[in-house]
Amino acid sequence: MKSGALTGWFVVAACFAAAGVLCAAPKPLEDRLRGLVLDLLKPGMQLAVRLREQATAPPANPSDRGANADLMLQKELELTRAQLRHAEIDAARLRAELETLRESQPRPFQGEPGRPLFNPDVLSVRVLDPPRDGDVEQTLLTLSEGHAARVALAEWVLADEGVIVSHGDDARVKPDHPVLSGRRVFGRIASTGRFTSRVQHITDPGFKTHARIIRKSGEATIQGAEGLLAGAGNGRCRLELIADTEPVEPGDLVVTAASIPGIDDSLFLGTVETTDLPKGAAHWTIIVAPAVYPAEVRELEVVRVGLHPDRLIDEPDPASGGAP
Amino acid sequence: MRVARIAGGAATAALLYAAFAIDAVWGGRTLSPQWALVVLILGAWSLPLGRGVALAAFIGIVTDALGAGRLGPGTVAAVMTTALAIVVRERARLQSALAVLVFTMLTGSGVLAGRRLVAALLERQPLTVASLQLDVARGMSCAFAASLLLATWHIVTRVVRSATAVLLRV
């Protein structure tokens, strides 16, 4: 056999061994390699997205002013809806707190609210591989920022709908902080590279989170049962573990239930679409429509939770002899 | 000659980068050609065993990283299919237009269907006929793109050669 052919077969064996190693690679190594590849491809992907946008952009014409006005109105409508959800969620929370206060004897001591340990801030990111309209299969999207911009694993990602900033009229939120309550959840960060990251949409089969129902009873908004929201993979989610004794109906809101460090508010996950109680079952079969679909977004917002700057110890100043 | 080789290598690397970037934004979800796979098919048709398989392994790793599943199945499928394709091509001395068409179709479909098969074996997921049919269709779309590129290259080189011959004779 010629030496060239031998070298060829040696390369085949080496490549096959490398592929086998990849198959058995642990998840962290897999994520690192994936992050590295996406980081390297980021400039090319940005260029491809720009070309795609230019290719699909409608030609400029005089009626554009009307289209822009429509867009502005849509944005305003979404903002108003977010404010309404914020108010509904707050009303339900206050009602639950009032019930607790009425029931608890003696009244618990309530101190002055101090500075929170964690401080959320919102980072706008661009989607590098937005899916086409109606595509519900693609539930993992690549974002234009990674851990160089403090984007970390499992952070919440919200739809871009204009940040509502608190004016400090509520004791729970500090002035100039973003109001996150009622904001539409897109998903969570699944893996991060240095300059890119991947977000997992809430309909992805691997997505799971603790969720709560918010329902309307007459004029009042009430906190309902808590369950597990899991992605169904077909553009919908399932709300599991809701007992058959709990009231639930289509149109109820589904929000996050677990307290997330730095985000005390409930984030909006979706709306109950269908409910079914099979004969003899102990739990409802609930299908939830997500708050936002992957094909709708071009930009998203990552909620980064860091330590509150006021809670950090100042670095000692060497010039002043170590005094802070 | 050395400069030409370096320029050729750089051009190939740039084309491959562009193919990956386009695939990351557009590819894999429709029947439009996946350009990384087109490059793999062209490599399998024109390169010797070692270089062809090394290129296939690299493309397999990157496309696995761009996909949503685990790493590895795409690389295994790319290496195996390309090695088999190059051995068959060298043994059977394939040259005709029909041979090109059949070769590109089998290689393209083999890589995509092979990836699904290996992933199903590794993750113990059910393998449906519909998903395999979709892979074969996507593979054929890539095969047509690769065949078209090969035909264009063939025609262009022929024209350039004959034009050069005419000019030199003059």
Side-chain angles (χ1 to χ4, degrees), chain B residues 85-121:
Chain B
I86 292 175
V87 168
V88 169
R89 187 202 78 205
E90 286 177 346
R91 292 269 163 92
R93 297 175 192 278
L94 302 178
Q95 274 181 342
S96 68
L98 183 67
V100 171
L101 206 61
V102 173
F103 177 88
T104 52
M105 275 183 189
L106 289 178
T107 310
S109 307
V111 171
L112 291 182
R115 177 165 63 187
R116 199 175 288 271
L117 194 71
V118 176
L121 285 173

PDB file of all heavy atoms in Angstrom, chain B residues 85-121:
ATOM      1  N   ALA B  85     -17.642   7.534   0.274  1.00  0.00           N
ATOM      2  CA  ALA B  85     -17.856   8.155  -1.041  1.00  0.00           C
ATOM      3  C   ALA B  85     -16.530   8.298  -1.796  1.00  0.00           C
ATOM      4  O   ALA B  85     -16.461   7.998  -2.997  1.00  0.00           O
ATOM      5  CB  ALA B  85     -18.513   9.521  -0.861  1.00  0.00           C
ATOM      6  N   ILE B  86     -15.469   8.718  -1.083  1.00  0.00           N
ATOM      7  CA  ILE B  86     -14.178   8.926  -1.765  1.00  0.00           C
ATOM      8  C   ILE B  86     -13.583   7.590  -2.214  1.00  0.00           C
ATOM      9  O   ILE B  86     -13.052   7.461  -3.321  1.00  0.00           O
ATOM     10  CB  ILE B  86     -13.204   9.700  -0.839  1.00  0.00           C
ATOM     11  CG1 ILE B  86     -13.720  11.129  -0.647  1.00  0.00           C
ATOM     12  CG2 ILE B  86     -11.799   9.744  -1.441  1.00  0.00           C
ATOM     13  CD1 ILE B  86     -12.919  11.958   0.328  1.00  0.00           C
ATOM     14  N   VAL B  87     -13.722   6.560  -1.383  1.00  0.00           N
ATOM     15  CA  VAL B  87     -13.195   5.232  -1.753  1.00  0.00           C
ATOM     16  C   VAL B  87     -13.920   4.717  -2.996  1.00  0.00           C
ATOM     17  O   VAL B  87     -13.280   4.251  -3.954  1.00  0.00           O
ATOM     18  CB  VAL B  87     -13.347   4.247  -0.564  1.00  0.00           C
ATOM     19  CG1 VAL B  87     -13.093   2.819  -1.023  1.00  0.00           C
ATOM     20  CG2 VAL B  87     -12.382   4.617   0.542  1.00  0.00           C
ATOM     21  N   VAL B  88     -15.241   4.842  -3.006  1.00  0.00           N
ATOM     22  CA  VAL B  88     -16.018   4.385  -4.169  1.00  0.00           C
ATOM     23  C   VAL B  88     -15.617   5.177  -5.413  1.00  0.00           C
ATOM     24  O   VAL B  88     -15.411   4.610  -6.484  1.00  0.00           O
ATOM     25  CB  VAL B  88     -17.537   4.524  -3.881  1.00  0.00           C
ATOM     26  CG1 VAL B  88     -18.359   4.325  -5.137  1.00  0.00           C
ATOM     27  CG2 VAL B  88     -17.959   3.526  -2.813  1.00  0.00           C
ATOM     28  N   ARG B  89     -15.485   6.505  -5.235  1.00  0.00           N
ATOM     29  CA  ARG B  89     -15.129   7.362  -6.383  1.00  0.00           C
ATOM     30  C   ARG B  89     -13.773   6.951  -6.972  1.00  0.00           C
ATOM     31  O   ARG B  89     -13.610   6.843  -8.178  1.00  0.00           O
ATOM     32  CB  ARG B  89     -15.066   8.813  -5.905  1.00  0.00           C
ATOM     33  CG  ARG B  89     -14.886   9.829  -7.008  1.00  0.00           C
ATOM     34  CD  ARG B  89     -14.321  11.112  -6.456  1.00  0.00           C
ATOM     35  NE  ARG B  89     -12.898  11.011  -6.224  1.00  0.00           N
ATOM     36  CZ  ARG B  89     -12.228  11.749  -5.333  1.00  0.00           C
ATOM     37  NH1 ARG B  89     -12.854  12.610  -4.565  1.00  0.00           N
ATOM     38  NH2 ARG B  89     -10.938  11.607  -5.199  1.00  0.00           N
ATOM     39  N   GLU B  90     -12.792   6.683  -6.063  1.00  0.00           N
ATOM     40  CA  GLU B  90     -11.446   6.340  -6.543  1.00  0.00           C
ATOM     41  C   GLU B  90     -11.405   4.947  -7.178  1.00  0.00           C
ATOM     42  O   GLU B  90     -10.739   4.729  -8.185  1.00  0.00           O
ATOM     43  CB  GLU B  90     -10.441   6.439  -5.389  1.00  0.00           C
ATOM     44  CG  GLU B  90     -10.131   7.889  -5.044  1.00  0.00           C
ATOM     45  CD  GLU B  90      -9.191   8.044  -3.870  1.00  0.00           C
ATOM     46  OE1 GLU B  90      -8.970   7.050  -3.147  1.00  0.00           O
ATOM     47  OE2 GLU B  90      -8.707   9.171  -3.643  1.00  0.00           O
ATOM     48  N   ARG B  91     -12.131   4.003  -6.559  1.00  0.00           N
ATOM     49  CA  ARG B  91     -12.119   2.633  -7.091  1.00  0.00           C
ATOM     50  C   ARG B  91     -12.849   2.550  -8.423  1.00  0.00           C
ATOM     51  O   ARG B  91     -12.407   1.903  -9.367  1.00  0.00           O
ATOM     52  CB  ARG B  91     -12.791   1.677  -6.096  1.00  0.00           C
ATOM     53  CG  ARG B  91     -12.041   1.471  -4.814  1.00  0.00           C
ATOM     54  CD  ARG B  91     -11.104   0.266  -4.948  1.00  0.00           C
ATOM     55  NE  ARG B  91     -10.097   0.288  -3.901  1.00  0.00           N
ATOM     56  CZ  ARG B  91     -10.228  -0.315  -2.728  1.00  0.00           C
ATOM     57  NH1 ARG B  91     -11.313  -0.991  -2.466  1.00  0.00           N
ATOM     58  NH2 ARG B  91      -9.267  -0.260  -1.840  1.00  0.00           N
ATOM     59  N   ALA B  92     -14.025   3.209  -8.483  1.00  0.00           N
ATOM     60  CA  ALA B  92     -14.857   3.082  -9.691  1.00  0.00           C
ATOM     61  C   ALA B  92     -14.481   4.091 -10.769  1.00  0.00           C
ATOM     62  O   ALA B  92     -15.050   4.055 -11.859  1.00  0.00           O
ATOM     63  CB  ALA B  92     -16.332   3.250  -9.316  1.00  0.00           C
ATOM     64  N   ARG B  93     -13.516   4.983 -10.453  1.00  0.00           N
ATOM     65  CA  ARG B  93     -13.070   6.026 -11.397  1.00  0.00           C
ATOM     66  C   ARG B  93     -14.256   6.770 -11.998  1.00  0.00           C
ATOM     67  O   ARG B  93     -14.451   6.818 -13.222  1.00  0.00           O
ATOM     68  CB  ARG B  93     -12.206   5.422 -12.509  1.00  0.00           C
ATOM     69  CG  ARG B  93     -10.940   4.798 -11.995  1.00  0.00           C
ATOM     70  CD  ARG B  93     -10.190   4.108 -13.104  1.00  0.00           C
ATOM     71  NE  ARG B  93      -9.130   3.274 -12.568  1.00  0.00           N
ATOM     72  CZ  ARG B  93      -7.940   3.724 -12.212  1.00  0.00           C
ATOM     73  NH1 ARG B  93      -7.650   5.000 -12.299  1.00  0.00           N
ATOM     74  NH2 ARG B  93      -7.033   2.905 -11.733  1.00  0.00           N
ATOM     75  N   LEU B  94     -15.095   7.301 -11.150  1.00  0.00           N
ATOM     76  CA  LEU B  94     -16.303   8.008 -11.605  1.00  0.00           C
ATOM     77  C   LEU B  94     -15.915   9.291 -12.341  1.00  0.00           C
ATOM     78  O   LEU B  94     -15.071  10.049 -11.856  1.00  0.00           O
ATOM     79  CB  LEU B  94     -17.197   8.358 -10.404  1.00  0.00           C
ATOM     80  CG  LEU B  94     -17.657   7.196  -9.534  1.00  0.00           C
ATOM     81  CD1 LEU B  94     -18.480   7.713  -8.376  1.00  0.00           C
ATOM     82  CD2 LEU B  94     -18.470   6.227 -10.356  1.00  0.00           C
ATOM     83  N   GLN B  95     -16.560   9.547 -13.476  1.00  0.00           N
ATOM     84  CA  GLN B  95     -16.249  10.754 -14.248  1.00  0.00           C
ATOM     85  C   GLN B  95     -17.449  11.328 -14.982  1.00  0.00           C
ATOM     86  O   GLN B  95     -17.519  12.537 -15.187  1.00  0.00           O
ATOM     87  CB  GLN B  95     -15.133  10.460 -15.263  1.00  0.00           C
ATOM     88  CG  GLN B  95     -13.741  10.618 -14.656  1.00  0.00           C
ATOM     89  CD  GLN B  95     -12.647  10.353 -15.659  1.00  0.00           C
ATOM     90  OE1 GLN B  95     -12.875   9.745 -16.697  1.00  0.00           O
ATOM     91  NE2 GLN B  95     -11.442  10.796 -15.336  1.00  0.00           N
ATOM     92  N   SER B  96     -18.395  10.467 -15.354  1.00  0.00           N
ATOM     93  CA  SER B  96     -19.494  10.930 -16.217  1.00  0.00           C
ATOM     94  C   SER B  96     -20.440  11.863 -15.455  1.00  0.00           C
ATOM     95  O   SER B  96     -20.427  11.923 -14.219  1.00  0.00           O
ATOM     96  CB  SER B  96     -20.279   9.731 -16.738  1.00  0.00           C
ATOM     97  OG  SER B  96     -20.954   9.123 -15.664  1.00  0.00           O
ATOM     98  N   ALA B  97     -21.282  12.556 -16.220  1.00  0.00           N
ATOM     99  CA  ALA B  97     -22.236  13.510 -15.612  1.00  0.00           C
ATOM    100  C   ALA B  97     -23.243  12.783 -14.722  1.00  0.00           C
ATOM    101  O   ALA B  97     -23.592  13.259 -13.629  1.00  0.00           O
ATOM    102  CB  ALA B  97     -22.955  14.265 -16.718  1.00  0.00           C
ATOM    103  N   LEU B  98     -23.676  11.605 -15.191  1.00  0.00           N
ATOM    104  CA  LEU B  98     -24.641  10.822 -14.399  1.00  0.00           C
ATOM    105  C   LEU B  98     -24.005  10.383 -13.073  1.00  0.00           C
ATOM    106  O   LEU B  98     -24.639  10.418 -12.013  1.00  0.00           O
ATOM    107  CB  LEU B  98     -25.093   9.597 -15.212  1.00  0.00           C
ATOM    108  CG  LEU B  98     -26.144   8.734 -14.530  1.00  0.00           C
ATOM    109  CD1 LEU B  98     -27.460   9.472 -14.404  1.00  0.00           C
ATOM    110  CD2 LEU B  98     -26.342   7.421 -15.273  1.00  0.00           C
ATOM    111  N   ALA B  99     -22.722   9.995 -13.181  1.00  0.00           N
ATOM    112  CA  ALA B  99     -21.998   9.575 -11.974  1.00  0.00           C
ATOM    113  C   ALA B  99     -21.919  10.726 -10.966  1.00  0.00           C
ATOM    114  O   ALA B  99     -22.106  10.524  -9.759  1.00  0.00           O
ATOM    115  CB  ALA B  99     -20.601   9.104 -12.347  1.00  0.00           C
ATOM    116  N   VAL B 100     -21.675  11.944 -11.474  1.00  0.00           N
ATOM    117  CA  VAL B 100     -21.619  13.125 -10.587  1.00  0.00           C
ATOM    118  C   VAL B 100     -22.943  13.299  -9.855  1.00  0.00           C
ATOM    119  O   VAL B 100     -22.996  13.485  -8.629  1.00  0.00           O
ATOM    120  CB  VAL B 100     -21.302  14.413 -11.407  1.00  0.00           C
ATOM    121  CG1 VAL B 100     -21.461  15.658 -10.543  1.00  0.00           C
ATOM    122  CG2 VAL B 100     -19.908  14.361 -11.968  1.00  0.00           C
ATOM    123  N   LEU B 101     -24.018  13.188 -10.631  1.00  0.00           N
ATOM    124  CA  LEU B 101     -25.355  13.416 -10.054  1.00  0.00           C
ATOM    125  C   LEU B 101     -25.674  12.377  -8.967  1.00  0.00           C
ATOM    126  O   LEU B 101     -26.114  12.713  -7.864  1.00  0.00           O
ATOM    127  CB  LEU B 101     -26.391  13.360 -11.178  1.00  0.00           C
ATOM    128  CG  LEU B 101     -27.677  14.141 -10.922  1.00  0.00           C
ATOM    129  CD1 LEU B 101     -27.388  15.614 -10.733  1.00  0.00           C
ATOM    130  CD2 LEU B 101     -28.651  13.945 -12.065  1.00  0.00           C
ATOM    131  N   VAL B 102     -25.424  11.113  -9.287  1.00  0.00           N
ATOM    132  CA  VAL B 102     -25.710  10.035  -8.330  1.00  0.00           C
ATOM    133  C   VAL B 102     -24.805  10.169  -7.093  1.00  0.00           C
ATOM    134  O   VAL B 102     -25.255  10.041  -5.950  1.00  0.00           O
ATOM    135  CB  VAL B 102     -25.531   8.652  -9.004  1.00  0.00           C
ATOM    136  CG1 VAL B 102     -25.659   7.534  -7.977  1.00  0.00           C
ATOM    137  CG2 VAL B 102     -26.559   8.467 -10.098  1.00  0.00           C
ATOM    138  N   PHE B 103     -23.520  10.454  -7.351  1.00  0.00           N
ATOM    139  CA  PHE B 103     -22.556  10.592  -6.258  1.00  0.00           C
ATOM    140  C   PHE B 103     -22.971  11.709  -5.288  1.00  0.00           C
ATOM    141  O   PHE B 103     -23.014  11.512  -4.071  1.00  0.00           O
ATOM    142  CB  PHE B 103     -21.170  10.891  -6.850  1.00  0.00           C
ATOM    143  CG  PHE B 103     -20.099  11.138  -5.829  1.00  0.00           C
ATOM    144  CD1 PHE B 103     -19.358  10.093  -5.297  1.00  0.00           C
ATOM    145  CD2 PHE B 103     -19.836  12.425  -5.368  1.00  0.00           C
ATOM    146  CE1 PHE B 103     -18.377  10.335  -4.349  1.00  0.00           C
ATOM    147  CE2 PHE B 103     -18.861  12.669  -4.420  1.00  0.00           C
ATOM    148  CZ  PHE B 103     -18.128  11.619  -3.910  1.00  0.00           C
ATOM    149  N   THR B 104     -23.301  12.895  -5.842  1.00  0.00           N
ATOM    150  CA  THR B 104     -23.658  14.031  -4.967  1.00  0.00           C
ATOM    151  C   THR B 104     -24.943  13.742  -4.185  1.00  0.00           C
ATOM    152  O   THR B 104     -25.045  14.073  -3.006  1.00  0.00           O
ATOM    153  CB  THR B 104     -23.828  15.320  -5.790  1.00  0.00           C
ATOM    154  OG1 THR B 104     -24.732  15.058  -6.845  1.00  0.00           O
ATOM    155  CG2 THR B 104     -22.526  15.830  -6.346  1.00  0.00           C
ATOM    156  N   MET B 105     -25.903  13.095  -4.858  1.00  0.00           N
ATOM    157  CA  MET B 105     -27.174  12.781  -4.182  1.00  0.00           C
ATOM    158  C   MET B 105     -26.959  11.823  -3.018  1.00  0.00           C
ATOM    159  O   MET B 105     -27.471  12.031  -1.920  1.00  0.00           O
ATOM    160  CB  MET B 105     -28.152  12.145  -5.171  1.00  0.00           C
ATOM    161  CG  MET B 105     -28.931  13.140  -5.975  1.00  0.00           C
ATOM    162  SD  MET B 105     -30.071  12.237  -7.001  1.00  0.00           S
ATOM    163  CE  MET B 105     -30.682  13.512  -8.031  1.00  0.00           C
ATOM    164  N   LEU B 106     -26.191  10.761  -3.286  1.00  0.00           N
ATOM    165  CA  LEU B 106     -25.974   9.762  -2.232  1.00  0.00           C
ATOM    166  C   LEU B 106     -25.161  10.359  -1.074  1.00  0.00           C
ATOM    167  O   LEU B 106     -25.443  10.081   0.088  1.00  0.00           O
ATOM    168  CB  LEU B 106     -25.267   8.528  -2.811  1.00  0.00           C
ATOM    169  CG  LEU B 106     -26.136   7.660  -3.726  1.00  0.00           C
ATOM    170  CD1 LEU B 106     -25.318   6.493  -4.269  1.00  0.00           C
ATOM    171  CD2 LEU B 106     -27.348   7.119  -2.982  1.00  0.00           C
ATOM    172  N   THR B 107     -24.157  11.174  -1.419  1.00  0.00           N
ATOM    173  CA  THR B 107     -23.327  11.755  -0.348  1.00  0.00           C
ATOM    174  C   THR B 107     -24.161  12.713   0.507  1.00  0.00           C
ATOM    175  O   THR B 107     -24.144  12.639   1.738  1.00  0.00           O
ATOM    176  CB  THR B 107     -22.109  12.506  -0.948  1.00  0.00           C
ATOM    177  OG1 THR B 107     -21.468  11.656  -1.886  1.00  0.00           O
ATOM    178  CG2 THR B 107     -21.131  12.927   0.103  1.00  0.00           C
ATOM    179  N   GLY B 108     -24.885  13.628  -0.146  1.00  0.00           N
ATOM    180  CA  GLY B 108     -25.693  14.616   0.591  1.00  0.00           C
ATOM    181  C   GLY B 108     -26.737  13.950   1.471  1.00  0.00           C
ATOM    182  O   GLY B 108     -26.841  14.236   2.680  1.00  0.00           O
ATOM    183  N   SER B 109     -27.510  13.050   0.880  1.00  0.00           N
ATOM    184  CA  SER B 109     -28.561  12.365   1.652  1.00  0.00           C
ATOM    185  C   SER B 109     -27.949  11.498   2.744  1.00  0.00           C
ATOM    186  O   SER B 109     -28.488  11.393   3.847  1.00  0.00           O
ATOM    187  CB  SER B 109     -29.422  11.493   0.739  1.00  0.00           C
ATOM    188  OG  SER B 109     -29.882  12.260  -0.322  1.00  0.00           O
ATOM    189  N   GLY B 110     -26.809  10.865   2.411  1.00  0.00           N
ATOM    190  CA  GLY B 110     -26.153   9.985   3.387  1.00  0.00           C
ATOM    191  C   GLY B 110     -25.709  10.742   4.625  1.00  0.00           C
ATOM    192  O   GLY B 110     -25.895  10.263   5.752  1.00  0.00           O
ATOM    193  N   VAL B 111     -25.148  11.934   4.425  1.00  0.00           N
ATOM    194  CA  VAL B 111     -24.682  12.717   5.586  1.00  0.00           C
ATOM    195  C   VAL B 111     -25.875  13.119   6.469  1.00  0.00           C
ATOM    196  O   VAL B 111     -25.847  12.932   7.697  1.00  0.00           O
ATOM    197  CB  VAL B 111     -23.894  13.977   5.120  1.00  0.00           C
ATOM    198  CG1 VAL B 111     -23.610  14.889   6.294  1.00  0.00           C
ATOM    199  CG2 VAL B 111     -22.597  13.567   4.452  1.00  0.00           C
ATOM    200  N   LEU B 112     -26.934  13.646   5.856  1.00  0.00           N
ATOM    201  CA  LEU B 112     -28.067  14.143   6.651  1.00  0.00           C
ATOM    202  C   LEU B 112     -28.841  13.000   7.337  1.00  0.00           C
ATOM    203  O   LEU B 112     -29.160  13.068   8.521  1.00  0.00           O
ATOM    204  CB  LEU B 112     -29.005  14.967   5.782  1.00  0.00           C
ATOM    205  CG  LEU B 112     -28.444  16.304   5.293  1.00  0.00           C
ATOM    206  CD1 LEU B 112     -29.488  17.049   4.482  1.00  0.00           C
ATOM    207  CD2 LEU B 112     -28.004  17.184   6.445  1.00  0.00           C
ATOM    208  N   ALA B 113     -29.119  11.946   6.545  1.00  0.00           N
ATOM    209  CA  ALA B 113     -29.857  10.815   7.135  1.00  0.00           C
ATOM    210  C   ALA B 113     -28.978  10.094   8.161  1.00  0.00           C
ATOM    211  O   ALA B 113     -29.472   9.638   9.201  1.00  0.00           O
ATOM    212  CB  ALA B 113     -30.297   9.856   6.044  1.00  0.00           C
ATOM    213  N   GLY B 114     -27.672  10.012   7.866  1.00  0.00           N
ATOM    214  CA  GLY B 114     -26.745   9.366   8.808  1.00  0.00           C
ATOM    215  C   GLY B 114     -26.694  10.103  10.136  1.00  0.00           C
ATOM    216  O   GLY B 114     -26.664   9.478  11.198  1.00  0.00           O
ATOM    217  N   ARG B 115     -26.705  11.431  10.072  1.00  0.00           N
ATOM    218  CA  ARG B 115     -26.690  12.213  11.319  1.00  0.00           C
ATOM    219  C   ARG B 115     -27.919  11.888  12.163  1.00  0.00           C
ATOM    220  O   ARG B 115     -27.828  11.688  13.364  1.00  0.00           O
ATOM    221  CB  ARG B 115     -26.663  13.704  10.981  1.00  0.00           C
ATOM    222  CG  ARG B 115     -26.717  14.577  12.223  1.00  0.00           C
ATOM    223  CD  ARG B 115     -26.342  15.995  11.945  1.00  0.00           C
ATOM    224  NE  ARG B 115     -27.258  16.639  11.020  1.00  0.00           N
ATOM    225  CZ  ARG B 115     -27.061  17.856  10.526  1.00  0.00           C
ATOM    226  NH1 ARG B 115     -25.987  18.525  10.834  1.00  0.00           N
ATOM    227  NH2 ARG B 115     -27.943  18.396   9.704  1.00  0.00           N
ATOM    228  N   ARG B 116     -29.077  11.821  11.496  1.00  0.00           N
ATOM    229  CA  ARG B 116     -30.308  11.532  12.257  1.00  0.00           C
ATOM    230  C   ARG B 116     -30.262  10.119  12.845  1.00  0.00           C
ATOM    231  O   ARG B 116     -30.688   9.885  13.973  1.00  0.00           O
ATOM    232  CB  ARG B 116     -31.528  11.690  11.346  1.00  0.00           C
ATOM    233  CG  ARG B 116     -32.809  11.876  12.137  1.00  0.00           C
ATOM    234  CD  ARG B 116     -33.965  12.152  11.243  1.00  0.00           C
ATOM    235  NE  ARG B 116     -33.953  13.468  10.644  1.00  0.00           N
ATOM    236  CZ  ARG B 116     -34.489  14.560  11.189  1.00  0.00           C
ATOM    237  NH1 ARG B 116     -35.058  14.473  12.359  1.00  0.00           N
ATOM    238  NH2 ARG B 116     -34.465  15.712  10.565  1.00  0.00           N
ATOM    239  N   LEU B 117     -29.709   9.199  12.050  1.00  0.00           N
ATOM    240  CA  LEU B 117     -29.634   7.804  12.497  1.00  0.00           C
ATOM    241  C   LEU B 117     -28.709   7.685  13.720  1.00  0.00           C
ATOM    242  O   LEU B 117     -29.069   7.044  14.723  1.00  0.00           O
ATOM    243  CB  LEU B 117     -29.098   6.952  11.338  1.00  0.00           C
ATOM    244  CG  LEU B 117     -29.244   5.455  11.464  1.00  0.00           C
ATOM    245  CD1 LEU B 117     -30.700   5.061  11.327  1.00  0.00           C
ATOM    246  CD2 LEU B 117     -28.423   4.753  10.386  1.00  0.00           C
ATOM    247  N   VAL B 118     -27.544   8.321  13.649  1.00  0.00           N
ATOM    248  CA  VAL B 118     -26.584   8.242  14.769  1.00  0.00           C
ATOM    249  C   VAL B 118     -27.178   8.918  16.011  1.00  0.00           C
ATOM    250  O   VAL B 118     -27.065   8.403  17.126  1.00  0.00           O
ATOM    251  CB  VAL B 118     -25.232   8.892  14.378  1.00  0.00           C
ATOM    252  CG1 VAL B 118     -24.281   8.909  15.555  1.00  0.00           C
ATOM    253  CG2 VAL B 118     -24.598   8.143  13.228  1.00  0.00           C
ATOM    254  N   ALA B 119     -27.844  10.080  15.797  1.00  0.00           N
ATOM    255  CA  ALA B 119     -28.463  10.788  16.931  1.00  0.00           C
ATOM    256  C   ALA B 119     -29.534   9.921  17.575  1.00  0.00           C
ATOM    257  O   ALA B 119     -29.652   9.859  18.806  1.00  0.00           O
ATOM    258  CB  ALA B 119     -29.055  12.111  16.464  1.00  0.00           C
ATOM    259  N   ALA B 120     -30.309   9.235  16.740  1.00  0.00           N
ATOM    260  CA  ALA B 120     -31.369   8.359  17.277  1.00  0.00           C
ATOM    261  C   ALA B 120     -30.761   7.203  18.061  1.00  0.00           C
ATOM    262  O   ALA B 120     -31.288   6.810  19.110  1.00  0.00           O
ATOM    263  CB  ALA B 120     -32.221   7.833  16.135  1.00  0.00           C
ATOM    264  N   LEU B 121     -29.644   6.675  17.571  1.00  0.00           N
ATOM    265  CA  LEU B 121     -28.990   5.563  18.275  1.00  0.00           C
ATOM    266  C   LEU B 121     -28.406   6.036  19.612  1.00  0.00           C
ATOM    267  O   LEU B 121     -28.518   5.356  20.627  1.00  0.00           O
ATOM    268  CB  LEU B 121     -27.876   4.971  17.412  1.00  0.00           C
ATOM    269  CG  LEU B 121     -28.325   4.088  16.246  1.00  0.00           C
ATOM    270  CD1 LEU B 121     -27.136   3.719  15.389  1.00  0.00           C
ATOM    271  CD2 LEU B 121     -29.012   2.830  16.766  1.00  0.00           C
TER     272      LEU B 121
END
